[in-house]
Structures are given as C-alpha cells and as structure tokens.
Amino acid sequence: MTETNIKTLKQAILYSITAPDEKQEARFKAFLAKKYGEEVELTWEKSDAFPGGFRLEIENEIYDWSVNGRFQQLRDTLTTVPKQNGNIIPLIKETIESWTPQTMAQEVGTVTTVGDGIATIEGLEGATFGEILIFASGVRGMVQDLRENEIGCILFDESDEVFAGSTVKRTGKTAGVPVGEAFLGRVVNALGMPIDGRGEIIADGYREIEHAAPGIIDRQPVNVSMETGILTIDAMFPIGRGQRELIIGDRQTGKTTIALDTILNQKGKDVICIYVAIGQKASSVAQLVETLRNHDAMDYSIVVNASASDAAPLQYIAPYAGCALGEYFMEKGKDVLIVYDDLSKHAVAYRTLSLLLERPPGREAYPGDVFYLHSRLLERSARLSDERGGGSITALPIVETQAGDVSAYIPTNIISITDGQIFLESDLFFAGQRPAVNVGLSVSRVGGDAQTKAMKKAAGALRLDLAQYREMEVFTQFASDLDDATRNQLTYGQGLMRLLRQPQYNPLQHHQKVVILVTALAHLLQDVPLDQISDMKMALLEHFDTAHFDLCQRINETRQLSDEDKDEIIRISKDFIQRAMK
C-alpha cells in the first residue's frame, strides 16, 4: 500500500461586484504565486461592499483595492505629514499631488480574549515586539508578549470597545511619542497628548519610546556639575551631568521635594527638566505643576503624567516616553534633567501586566526580567561626546522603601544600576532634619569629579566631621559628665546638622553654599545657640549678597575659591557674627 502526500493549497478569496475574466484571474494567480512562492487556490465571491475595486483575502492578509481602501491609504499617509510653523496646507497639497496608491497587504488578526487592559490575539504571525496594533474600534495597543500561536497586547485606551472576535491589524510602527520644542511648559500623558487644557501641541517629529542607549564611544566622562541647590547634596554627594543618582527612602520623607528643588535650581542654567509622575494622585501632580509655575520653572520643564487612575500599560510606558522626549533635546546638544517619580510604582505596573500575560513570577512575585525593565531605561542617561553634540541626560530616579529596607528586591536592583543614592531616613525627617539625608548610607560614585573646585575646597572635611559627630552622638545623654573637648565636638556637630537644614523650594546659589561651608568649617558658628543658627545663616548670606556682591559674583563666575577669597570670607563672617552676637 503506497502513501500519497497530499499538499494543501493556500486559499485566497476575491470579493468584488463582478467576477474577474480569464485574463484578470490569471494576473491574480500570477501575483499570488510570486508573493507566496507557491500555487494558491483562488475563489471568487460576489460582494457589493467594495465598489470601484476588489478585496483579496489570503489567510491573515488583506489587499483592499476598493475606493474605501485606497482612501484609507491616503488618510494614513496624511496623518504622517509633519506640521511646520502651524502651516500644514501646502504640505497636504504636495502630498496629495505626489501620492500613488500601493499594493500593500494588511495583516489582520482576531481577538480571542480581552480583560484588565490585556488582549490576546491570534493570526498576526508577522507582528513584532513593541509594535502598535489598531483594533476595529480605533483602540490602540502594543505587542508585549510573543507566543507560538498567539500574541499578548497591552491596551492604551479603554478596553470596553474591544471584544472577543473583533479584528485587529498591524501598523508596522513601534510605540513612540511626538517630540519637539513646543512641549516645554506643558503637561502631557504617557502618549504625548496634552492634558493641561492649553490647546494642541505642534510636534517637530516622532520618536520611539524604546531606544538603544548610547555606546561607550558616544559618551564622555561625567565631570560637569549638575547642582541641586541643596547644601547637603552638593557638598557631600555631588551629581554630574549624565549621572544617575537614586533618591530612596520611605513614604513622606521628602524625596519629591529634593527632585523639585533641583528642578527649581536649574532656572537660567539652560537645562531642560522633565518630571515623570507614575501612579500618583492627579491632585498631587496638579499641585506640583502649580509650584513650578509659581517659580517660573515651567518655562523650561515638561511634566509627563500617568496617574494612579490611568491603566497599567500607560504607567508602564510613561518613563520611556519621558526619556524619549529628553533624548530629543539631548541630541540637539542640550542638557536634560529627568525625574522618574517613582520607579517602585513603575515596577508594580509592570508586574501587573506580566502576571496578566501569564509570565511566571519569581522573587517577590516580580517577573525575572524586571531588572531589564529599569536598566534599559536608566542606561539611556549619558553625557554625549562632543562629536555627538555634547548633550546630556541626568536621571534622578525615585524609589520608595518599606520601613527603610534598602535590601528589598526593587531597591537593590536600582541601586546596582545607578551611580549612587541619596538615602532619606524617616527618623531624621521626623526629628526636623530636612532634607533628611543619611550621610552614612548616601553616596555619589562620580564623587568630586562632578564638583566645582570652589565647592570641593569649601566642603573640605565636612563629611568626616559629621561622621565623627555621629560616633559621639550616643554620648549626648551624658553631656554633664563630658570633658570640654568632647562637649565642643558635640556642639560643633549639632551646629553642622542644624546648618544643613534647608526649607523646601529654597535652593541655594553656588556662592551661598561656599560661604556657608567656609564659615561653618572655620568653627565660626561654634558659639551661636542652636535655635539661632538658621536665622544667623540667612542674615549672613543676605549680608554677603548686599555688601560683598563682587566677591559673590567672582565665585559664581570662576567656580573657584582662591586662598585670598577664602580668608576674606572668614574675616567677613567673623566680624558679622561677632557684631550680631553682641
């Protein structure tokens, strides 16, 4: 008995008002054979739905050569026409005159299941990871999971209009956001759409949200200071342009305040600031935007908001969208500061999507690739080489800890990715030490390379003095039994801690930090009562700004501190404090 191999032919269906003649049928078959490399069985079905043309379907691909199909092609082409100076009419005319319809296949799939912002689709064999899909209702989604016979897609809009059995087609485009100068001063969602009620944003282009980080050759060392205006950080944990410095601490310890003060401190320094809010209350973001406007900081800032009420897919792509906006400015040679607030909620959003996509959970129920989630985001922060324009992205990711546990899964992941961390301690915060920076656990791995020469010279042994004070702090309860040298050391340390307190939304200028540090480390505030140190500091700075403007301006412009200037600061401060104490 012989076995016969029966080869199943691919089936193609032609829909049109009239049947094709022999010549037309031969052309169809020749096209299909050339396209698919094998013989295809062609069947004709009468249909009045495609006037002025036909519709050819083969498996999951559709060739729509009807009037409506060609009109849709033209409409898709017009949506990609860039707007220049708000005048789009000439570009539309030029596009229409030069447009010719193309014989393009549309790959169409079918939704099998949908729910919780996730749709499972079968039939889109050519879909790629990160590709945008369009559902029949107009809802957009992004391919997030590739399986053998189906794909998992996250939805960017409400899933109510997507249902099992509805069709979905590929776009061939990866997820991206519009970018441009017009985004400055605006509040947008994770898709780059304005949500501040201030009108449409005219974009200069379109940029993919997932983009490869600059290579080693395209970077240069991080050695230019990105000053925060916060004395504690700039003196002991300097941040450089192109660095990634983690802000970590429990809830309500001032993490966002540090980031906000840093943004306010960039006024007039030609730095573009981007604040990405992930999973926060809309009212909190509105209050932050109002603060930025009140300090004239929105002129150089962009706020990307994926609030707690937004779907998990939008919270997932928000930081990548913000980074894409930052890269647009970086590649134009500008310096960018971007705040991710916060990546703990971002990881939770990704965990939600992954578990709904039935990916196996690992440690603390997070999927195994959660490290890659943040590493591919933060690696895009860099200072480009001069050949690439010399622009930079400095990242300040924020992570929330539970009861100060920095050894948890997500905190340890991000600590290993970043170039240092500023650890905020609850006990310090509630004791009134604000910003509540734990000097022992905080570090900047860039170090003095990103510090101005003036700050480096002024800061001197500040960190060592504070470390000695922390060692001796346990003896404060025995203050009456201590010798004079120990008591003086404790008083000096307490004065330093009080001096490092700084009200929010009040970043210090470069010369002000230098004056405070030089004065404090010369022990000139030793005899000032603790409760008067803050007032003395403000009075001293005001005296320098008014009576010694030339000295302050010289320090600001040269970023250096000569021995003569240091001695002059000590002399002026000593005279002022002595007069004030009388």
Side-chain angles (χ1 to χ4, degrees), residues 257 260-261 264 287-288 291 295 502-507:
T257 300
L260 194 52
D261 281 347
L264 297 182
Q287 187 175 357
L288 180 138
T291 301
H295 291 83
Q502 193 169 330
Q504 63 180 356
Y505 315 143
N506 187 29

Side-chain angles (χ1 to χ4, degrees), residues 207-214 320 324 327 331 376 380 388:
R207 189 177 180 90
E208 297 176 356
I209 61 170
E210 295 272 11
H211 198 270
Y320 301 103
E327 286 175 328
E331 293 185 355
R376 73 177 190 266
R380 292 161 71 176
R388 289 283 303 274

Side-chain angles (χ1 to χ4, degrees), residues 54-65:
F54 61 85
R55 178 184 173 104
L56 181 64
E57 294 184 4
I58 176 169
E59 294 186 343
N60 297 317
E61 293 186 347
I62 296 174
Y63 297 88
D64 193 342
W65 200 253

